[in-house]
Amino acid sequence: MEKYQTLLYYCYSTIANAEQFAADHLKFCKSLNLVGRIIVAEEGLNGTVSGKTSDCKIYMDAIHADERFAKTAFKIDDVNEPSFIKMHCRYKSEIVHSGLKDTSIIDPNHQTGKHLEPVDFMAMKDDEDVIILDVRSNYEHNLGKFKNAITLDIENFRDFPDKINELAQYKDKKILTYCTGGIKCEKASALLLHHGFNDVYQLHGGIIKYGKEAQGKDFEGKCYVFDNRIAVDVNNVNPTIVSVCYNCGKTTPKMINCANPECNEHITQCDECGDLLQGCCKEECTTNPRKRPYDGTGYYVKVPHQVNKKTELVG
């Protein structure tokens, strides 16, 4: 039986002529028959790729052989099949869009929160002078989050800077930030420091690494991932489901994209409502002529049409 892996990684490191690098890197990934999604910017790389275990090793070795990315930490999952359908490698202005005009104030290579390994994060998170801060989007923390974590009402990370003032009451606390793989925390913690939060930490490797090294203790629900698995289990110690069906309120761990590509809303939805609404978030979406066939997964290949960019699952 063929063995596959999915690799989650990022690296903040200056890339000259990043647009050309993205084009060349796409060809390299395709030569290894990898599938996935990589963002390239002058500030570095942000990627999730999937393929045969042997090809993934070649890819990781090549990344580490480049001195710019030698310190890249890969989160590796063994999977039964590739976690994407296609390979995308795109150039963008940032590998995590901050929404800031002056991005120099959140350069992780100059200032960022103190990195906490999973076991250290676990040891600190319940202290009285600690605040656990989820820096992910609504649809992510609605699916799962750390027990007692503070969440922010944001659709995308670029909304995070506008929420800093809501956290002012915690300036005398230790702030432990976390996200899926660690990349958003690099900028979130830097921004908190810039705004006068003095004791800021971040979960190194994010929720994914915490699940592997600390068995996911006290992470409630599932972790949203940006591939066709959509959600993965994290907690092997005291697991629970916290998400509820968008339509009926029944407890469910399942997340989908609305089958109407012109809506494409991220929602948690039980199987019964999914079957009833044909994978749509509401009745009106079922009549859209471009509605995608619902196969029970709620995952769709990106369609060549303008969709709701706030909630785009793939591409």
Side-chain angles (χ1 to χ4, degrees):
M1 182 176 177
E2 194 71 67
K3 294 184 178 180
Y4 299 92
Q5 290 180 330
T6 295
L7 314 176
L8 174 67
Y9 72 97
Y10 70 88
C11 182
Y12 283 99
S13 181
T14 302
I15 301 176
N17 197 5
E19 193 164 3
Q20 183 60 51
F21 178 93
D24 295 340
H25 201 64
L26 176 62
K27 293 178 182 177
F28 173 61
C29 291
K30 286 185 173 181
S31 75
L32 295 176
N33 296 309
L34 297 178
V35 289
R37 176 176 175 267
I38 301 172
I39 299 172
V40 178
E42 277 77 11
E43 66 179 4
L45 299 173
N46 175 15
T48 308
V49 297
S50 190
K52 294 179 181 178
T53 299
S54 56
D55 294 328
C56 285
K57 183 180 186 306
I58 294 173
Y59 181 78
M60 289 187 286
D61 288 345
I63 291 292
H64 286 148
D66 189 319
E67 62 180 11
R68 294 170 296 181
F69 317 126
K71 295 182 180 180
T72 302
F74 287 91
K75 275 74 74 176
I76 305 171
D77 280 339
D78 294 319
V79 293
N80 294 326
E81 59 184 9
S83 299
F84 292 87
I85 297 173
K86 297 181 179 180
M87 185 69 231
H88 298 282
C89 185
R90 296 191 173 110
Y91 168 78
K92 293 188 177 182
S93 59
E94 296 178 80
I95 54 176
V96 173
H97 186 37
S98 65
L100 295 173
K101 291 183 179 179
D102 181 10
T103 57
S104 65
I105 65 174
I106 53 168
D107 181 353
N109 290 313
H110 289 93
Q111 178 175 252
T112 191
K114 304 165 191 171
H115 288 70
L116 285 176
E117 293 303 320
V119 291
D120 299 317
F121 182 93
M122 182 171 61
M124 283 183 63
K125 67 182 180 58
D126 297 322
D127 291 350
E128 288 186 5
D129 61 341
V130 162
I131 295 296
I132 306 172
L133 177 63
D134 192 318
V135 303
R136 300 172 303 153
S137 303
N138 290 333
Y139 63 88
E140 296 175 88
H141 60 67
N142 284 341
L143 184 64
K145 65 183 183 67
F146 277 102
K147 182 180 179 181
N148 299 323
I150 290 174
T151 59
L152 300 172
D153 182 14
I154 58 177
E155 294 296 326
N156 286 285
F157 184 70
R158 60 177 172 266
D159 300 327
F160 180 79
D162 292 334
K163 298 293 182 177
I164 293 290
N165 289 339
E166 296 180 11
L167 302 170
Q169 59 186 303
Y170 305 120
K171 281 194 173 181
D172 62 340
K173 302 283 189 178
K174 294 178 181 176
I175 309 295
L176 273 58
T177 66
Y178 74 89
C179 60
T180 306
I183 186 170
K184 291 178 180 177
C185 289
E186 300 281 7
K187 289 189 174 183
S189 62
L191 190 62
L192 288 167
L193 289 166
H194 176 75
H195 282 275
F197 293 79
N198 296 316
D199 213 357
V200 182
Y201 302 79
Q202 61 189 83
L203 175 56
H204 186 217
I207 300 164
I208 300 301
K209 187 177 181 182
Y210 184 85
K212 295 179 182 300
E213 297 185 8
Q215 289 72 57
K217 184 175 183 289
D218 291 334
F219 186 85
E220 300 178 328
K222 288 178 175 275
C223 180
Y224 178 87
V225 291
F226 297 85
D227 58 61
N228 63 7
R229 294 173 296 170
I230 303 178
V232 297
D233 291 319
V234 172
N235 192 331
N236 295 316
V237 179
N238 52 350
T240 184
I241 299 299
V242 295
S243 50
V244 297
C245 178
Y246 176 85
N247 303 106
C248 72
K250 175 183 175 181
T251 300
T252 179
K254 186 176 181 179
M255 174 167 273
I256 70 165
N257 268 126
C258 178
N260 173 10
E262 294 173 18
C263 171
N264 216 44
E265 188 73 41
H266 277 322
I267 62 168
T268 44
Q269 186 180 69
C270 69
D271 287 330
E272 290 80 2
C273 289
D275 292 338
L276 182 66
L277 293 170
Q278 304 166 58
C280 292
C281 67
K282 54 185 178 294
E283 187 69 32
E284 300 92 287
C285 286
T286 65
T287 60
N288 187 287
R290 298 184 65 250
K291 186 183 78 66
R292 299 169 288 201
Y294 178 59
D295 65 0
T297 66
Y299 178 86
Y300 307 98
V301 178
K302 185 178 179 182
V303 293
H305 184 81
Q306 185 70 24
V307 296
N308 183 349
K309 292 296 182 182
K310 288 184 178 180
T311 55
E312 186 179 346
L313 176 60
V314 296

